[in-house]
Amino acid sequence: MRIILLGPPGAGKGTQAQILEKNHNVWQVSTGDLLRMHRTEGTPLGLEAAEYMDRGALVPDSLIIAMVESALRGVDSFILDGFPRTVPQAEALDVLLERMNYPLDAVILLQVPREVLFERLTARWVNPRTNRSYNTISMPPKVAGIDDEDGSKLVQRSDDQPETVAKRLDVFDEQTAPLIEYYRKVGKLIEINAYQDVDTITAEILSGIERASGVKSS
Ligand code: AP5
């Protein structure tokens, strides 16, 4: 399986990528998670990226492309979550996959109304260790503020404050939405209504991938 999960902030890319990774033996490459890891470790990339992330802007393409090239080295089955996010990133990915001789199966577009995205993000709490996401409205943990699986204390992301969320949604419309047409033109785009329950969305993603690749996912 080689797919891209495309969609605005809060569409459920991370939630769905984690489910697919757990159940289908495929590796999730989340550029947001990789950047947050660099920030936690205080690397030069993390320090530079922080300045962009905290104001809801995109990190420069050159930094992101180099990071993804290194993350995909030796990997033949993956879910890209949060990458590509600009046309230059998509073009760089085309070159990389052609060099690796790994064609994409599909680009899954998760669609959710903007007001729902805003509500989802401002109510999100995450486990900083595993990146598992909860939502105080739609998916609360069993015990408030505590991860169900490993008992870690949940935190809110610094870019989930209302002003930054609004900015991130605008950035998606301006810089990432052109990718919808980019992938539609090459016949790779599968559009999913992601304003449904999590399991229904997963099932629709899997049947979309099966149709696109002609292979039944186990
Ligand atoms: P990143 O971490 O990638 O953030 P994002 O794309 O803005 O996406 P999110 O993680 O916010 O949302 P999601 O779609 O994964 O939703 P989730 O599953 O968590 O990027 C952060 C920053 O890093 C960027 O702003 C940028 O600065 C930088 N960056 C990253 N990649 C970059 C790139 N390629 N180029 C340049 N810069 C880059 O769900 C959200 C909430 O909704 C959760 O609470 C969840 O529990 C809940 N939820 C999920 N599904 C459902 C459902 N079906 N029903 C109800 N609630 C649901």
Side-chain angles (χ1 to χ4, degrees):
M1 188 190 287
R2 286 185 289 273
I3 61 169
I4 293 173
L5 289 182
L6 180 64
K13 303 180 297 295
T15 301
Q16 293 297 331
Q18 288 206 344
I19 295 170
L20 295 169
E21 181 179 59
K22 203 165 165 185
N23 301 332
H24 296 275
N25 197 24
V26 58
W27 199 46
Q28 173 194 13
V29 177
S30 158
T31 42
D33 290 348
L34 289 171
L35 291 169
R36 281 183 286 279
M37 191 183 76
H38 277 279
R39 289 184 67 166
T40 306
E41 290 172 0
T43 67
L45 169 58
L47 294 175
E48 190 168 351
E51 182 206 328
Y52 296 92
M53 296 170 81
D54 286 344
R55 55 188 167 86
L58 295 185
V59 175
D61 288 337
S62 56
L63 298 178
I64 296 288
I65 292 165
M67 183 179 79
V68 170
E69 283 196 358
S70 128
L72 287 182
R73 209 158 286 145
V75 176
D76 65 358
S77 189
F78 50 78
I79 303 170
L80 293 175
D81 159 12
F83 177 90
R85 246 170 158 111
T86 62
V87 170
Q89 290 182 18
E91 290 169 346
L93 180 65
D94 288 345
V95 172
L96 180 66
L97 294 181
E98 191 161 330
R99 203 163 65 217
M100 295 160 90
N101 204 12
Y102 289 156
L104 270 181
D105 291 317
V107 177
I108 310 288
L109 173 64
L110 300 179
Q111 296 173 303
V112 179
R114 184 178 171 115
E115 62 278 11
V116 178
L117 297 169
F118 192 86
E119 189 184 270
R120 279 188 187 175
L121 290 172
T122 49
R124 170 168 62 184
W125 287 77
V126 293
N127 178 334
R129 204 180 65 78
T130 63
N131 297 312
R132 188 179 159 91
S133 249
Y134 291 87
N135 192 284
T136 51
I137 302 165
S138 58
M139 280 187 262
K142 290 182 189 132
V143 178
I146 302 293
D147 183 79
D148 294 348
E149 290 191 339
D150 70 3
S152 294
K153 200 167 174 322
L154 302 177
V155 298
Q156 273 196 299
R157 272 172 45 176
S158 58
D159 57 353
D160 279 347
Q161 299 307 312
E163 328 69 66
T164 320
V165 167
K167 164 82 179 160
R168 287 163 61 205
L169 294 174
D170 291 344
V171 166
F172 176 85
D173 291 341
E174 288 154 18
Q175 299 187 52
T176 308
L179 293 183
I180 297 172
E181 214 32 55
Y182 184 95
Y183 287 114
R184 186 178 281 132
K185 269 194 191 144
V186 291
K188 294 280 181 194
L189 195 74
I190 297 174
E191 298 178 52
I192 303 272
N193 168 15
Y195 184 27
Q196 310 186 73
D197 68 81
V198 169
D199 293 344
T200 305
I201 298 165
T202 309
E204 291 192 7
I205 291 175
L206 289 173
S207 61
I209 296 169
E210 280 170 24
R211 278 196 309 276
S213 65
V215 177
K216 196 162 169 51
S217 45
S218 48

